[in-house]
């Protein structure tokens, strides 16, 4: 398989996941307060969003790589 076609397929799949999920979230644990040997831990949920335009652009570039580059 041609490397450009493989990259195109990967971009289409990644763009599809980006459209389906829109981003991901994770939990970050930080120390809120420390008083001697006693620590107060705080868990914060962080969300990283992916713009819709980036996902659509990845799909468009992937389709271009699959269809447009291989033709002469």
């Amino acid at each position: 398989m041609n490397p450009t076609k493989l990259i195109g397929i990967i971009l289409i799949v990644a763009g599809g996941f980006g459209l389906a999920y829109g981003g991901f979230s994770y939990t970050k644990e930080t120390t809120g307060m420390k008083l001697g040997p006693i620590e107060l831990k705080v868990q914060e949920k962080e969300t990283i969003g992916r713009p819709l335009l980036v996902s659509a652009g990845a799909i468009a570039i992937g389709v271009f790589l699959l269809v447009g580059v291989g033709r002469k």
Side-chain angles (χ1 to χ4, degrees):
M1 179 176 273
N2 192 354
T4 55
K5 290 187 185 240
L6 183 64
I7 292 171
I9 292 170
I10 290 171
L11 283 174
I12 291 171
V13 170
F17 279 131
L19 287 177
Y21 294 111
F24 62 93
S25 61
Y26 64 95
T27 303
K28 181 173 82 170
E29 187 173 298
T30 58
T31 303
M33 184 175 69
K34 188 173 183 180
L35 184 61
I38 300 171
E39 292 183 359
L40 177 65
K41 298 283 186 177
V42 178
Q43 290 185 346
E44 298 176 18
K45 187 173 184 180
E46 298 281 335
T47 302
I48 297 175
R50 205 170 290 121
L52 180 65
L53 189 61
V54 172
S55 298
I59 292 174
I61 292 171
V63 169
F64 173 74
L65 288 176
L66 279 177
V67 177
V69 174
R71 296 188 180 189
K72 291 184 178 183

